[in-house]
Every structure is written in structure tokens, then in C-alpha cells.
Amino acid sequence: MRNSFSPPRIVWLAALLLAAGCSETGPPPAGYVADSLGPHDGLLVPLPKDKGFGEILSRPLPKATAKADATMVVYFLGPDKATPLSPPPSDASLRLKLPGQDAPADVPLKLQADAKDPSGAALFASTPGLYAMDQLFGDLTVTVDGESATIPFEKHR
């Protein structure tokens, strides 16, 4: 009687299982968003229950200092990704992994509507800080229609 698990088959099976479990090119962890860009070239993060999107970006200051080089902004957009979310969220904040820091930074955001921008009615912005960076990693916490949600995100470009 022939053994169905002869050494060559065991090696092949082990290699197949190892490759399947160790893929580094697989999809990002659940909840993280790929590099989808919005109308302001910021990272688009879908809001729960298909209510719309948050577009997260670092906006450089006209004159950077040693204490502040940018503000963090989030445009809250409707499902069409163009019009402002209406009504805007009642609360929003970011938790960011900043270069050179071990612990994530809490970044409160306040509604600062921009009448010059067609999608700026639901614009939230931080106070200036050291936020000039190309890669963004963190969490967006937002309250929409009385429901709070925390959405992890990452932007690699």
C-alpha cells in the first residue's frame, strides 16, 4: 500500500501552506483604506452606513515654524464624493502616528466651513502643528447623526 503523504508531497503541501499564510502583499487589515483620493487630493475614508466620506489631508502653512508646519483637515463629503455632508458631523478628531514619536497624537478638529469651496461647508480643521507629512497613519473618530465611529486609515503616498 502506497502512503499518500510521501516526502515530496509533504514538502509541497508545507510550502503551499507556508506561502498562503505568510503573504506580505495581501490586502491591508480590515478597516484600513487603500490610497483613494478625493477632490482635494486627500485620502478618502468611507463613513459607516454609506453616509459619505471623510477626506483627510495635511495642509501646509504658508510660513512654517519650528513648532508648526501644517494643519490637519477633513472634508466631510456626501456619498457622491463632491458635495458637503449635510448636516456636517457634530464631532470629529484624528489620532495620528507622527514621525519620531512612539505614541499616537490626538488631534482635535473643529468645524471651519469654507464658503469659497463648493464642498467646504463640512470642513473640519486642527490648530497648526507639526503635521507636514506625505504618509498618514491613524484613526478618524467622527459623530454623524448621533452615532460615533472610529475608522482606521493609512495613506502611503
Side-chain angles (χ1 to χ4, degrees):
M1 180 170 174
R2 187 173 168 194
N3 183 353
S4 64
F5 289 103
S6 62
R9 286 187 182 169
I10 290 174
V11 171
W12 180 82
L13 181 61
L16 182 64
L17 290 173
L18 184 61
C22 296
S23 172
E24 292 183 25
T25 60
Y32 277 80
V33 177
D35 290 334
S36 299
L37 298 180
H40 304 92
D41 292 326
L43 177 67
L44 273 180
V45 178
L47 300 177
K49 299 183 181 178
D50 298 321
K51 292 184 179 182
F53 296 86
E55 182 185 8
I56 304 167
L57 59 143
S58 171
R59 182 178 285 163
L61 295 174
K63 291 188 178 189
T65 67
K67 294 183 180 182
D69 54 16
T71 57
M72 292 302 302
V73 299
V74 180
Y75 287 88
F76 287 98
L77 306 170
D80 65 356
K81 301 178 188 174
T83 57
L85 186 65
S86 184
S90 58
D91 189 42
S93 66
L94 294 169
R95 187 169 179 87
L96 295 175
K97 175 71 176 135
L98 298 174
Q101 294 187 12
D102 292 331
D106 291 320
V107 181
L109 302 170
K110 291 187 179 178
L111 180 62
Q112 295 182 0
D114 181 358
K116 297 176 188 173
D117 185 334
S119 58
L123 170 64
F124 280 67
S126 72
T127 58
L130 294 173
Y131 305 128
M133 56 191 142
D134 292 328
Q135 298 185 358
L136 298 173
F137 301 93
D139 298 306
L140 168 64
T141 300
V142 61
T143 304
V144 178
D145 295 334
E147 294 183 43
S148 183
T150 298
I151 306 141
F153 62 86
E154 55 184 62
K155 178 185 178 205
H156 297 279
R157 293 182 211 126

